Amino acid sequence: EIGLMTNAAGGVAPGMTGGISSGAGGGTGGAGTPTGNESVSLGTVTQTHEVRMPMLLSTFKPATGCTNASDFIVRCFVARLRSGITVVKHGRSRWCKSRLRVLHVHSDGRSLSWKPALGEPSSGKRPPKLDLTTCREVRHAWSPDPDNPMFTGTPILRQKCEAANAHKSFALIFPKRTVDITAVTADQCKVLMEGFSALCFRLHVAQKVA
């Protein structure tokens, strides 16, 4: 896995330092002695054109601990989104149940939408097409809610996400709504938060340059 993630205590998750995991093929030697594996890891960083994100842009805030916006991460994530990623999406209405939905990005690489997963009932409504260049934040369910400093996550996550699933839940914050998601696994949640953080960051940067 590529990228930085924080654990519940706010520390860096094991094996996630420097944007490249220190597992097989990327370990480091003791006492600061370079090893062959370390050279491979450093070379990988160069090849993937690693781009570090500041924790807070004026227009976008990545998820806590997500600081890698390399071309490699963005390309891989967009490819996965184009093929569809199944998650539990929490509806905004109090009476709307949380349902399995397939997240996907349109051919423009910036418009996010979703559809019912196989076997799930359709709501009958056409899902919105959300422009990721307007996403203001990727927020984990345990991260503080700026609008309610005494709480974490979002109002919808606090209302609909079970406490046992909070560790694998997050939200995309848009100007007039949130998209509240519980991943199938904790690992999928990490991939999604890192991916959306990197993609949205690069879209915001590109928009400023344009």
Side-chain angles (χ1 to χ4, degrees):
E1 286 186 26
I2 299 176
L4 277 174
M5 288 304 306
T6 54
N7 56 27
V12 177
M16 294 287 186
T17 56
I20 304 293
S21 68
S22 57
T28 56
T33 304
T35 66
N37 285 340
E38 188 175 67
S39 298
V40 171
S41 179
L42 292 174
T44 303
V45 172
T46 303
Q47 291 166 18
T48 57
H49 306 292
E50 190 172 36
V51 178
R52 289 293 174 182
M53 293 183 280
M55 283 310 297
L56 180 63
L57 290 176
S58 60
T59 55
F60 175 69
K61 182 179 180 181
T64 302
C66 294
T67 60
N68 190 340
S70 69
D71 292 341
F72 178 76
I73 284 183
V74 173
R75 285 199 303 267
C76 289
F77 184 63
V78 169
R80 291 185 67 170
L81 267 181
R82 281 180 175 157
S83 63
I85 301 175
T86 302
V87 298
V88 175
K89 182 184 167 297
H90 303 289
R92 292 188 292 166
S93 167
R94 180 178 299 178
W95 298 277
C96 183
K97 292 182 179 180
S98 301
R99 299 282 192 186
L100 282 173
R101 293 289 183 261
V102 180
L103 299 178
H104 62 93
V105 70
H106 292 263
S107 57
D108 60 5
R110 57 186 271 180
S111 299
L112 179 71
S113 194
W114 51 85
K115 60 185 178 182
L118 189 65
E120 286 284 329
S122 175
S123 64
K125 295 180 181 179
R126 188 175 181 178
K129 202 173 171 185
L130 299 177
D131 186 350
L132 288 172
T133 63
T134 66
C135 180
R136 293 178 173 175
E137 182 184 354
V138 179
R139 185 187 304 163
H140 190 269
W142 284 338
S143 294
D145 182 350
D147 296 327
N148 296 279
M150 297 294 292
F151 298 96
T152 60
T154 66
I156 292 174
L157 284 177
R158 293 194 292 271
Q159 178 186 355
K160 297 196 169 185
C161 175
E162 296 180 8
N165 292 327
H167 69 289
K168 57 179 182 178
S169 300
F170 70 99
L172 302 176
I173 313 297
F174 290 87
K176 295 184 179 180
R177 65 165 295 165
T178 60
V179 178
D180 300 84
I181 293 165
T182 292
V184 177
T185 66
D187 284 342
Q188 187 198 49
C189 183
K190 291 178 183 180
V191 170
L192 287 168
M193 288 198 305
E194 288 179 344
F196 276 120
S197 292
L199 175 57
C200 292
F201 175 83
R202 295 293 288 269
L203 287 171
H204 277 263
V205 170
Q207 199 172 39
K208 283 186 175 182
V209 172

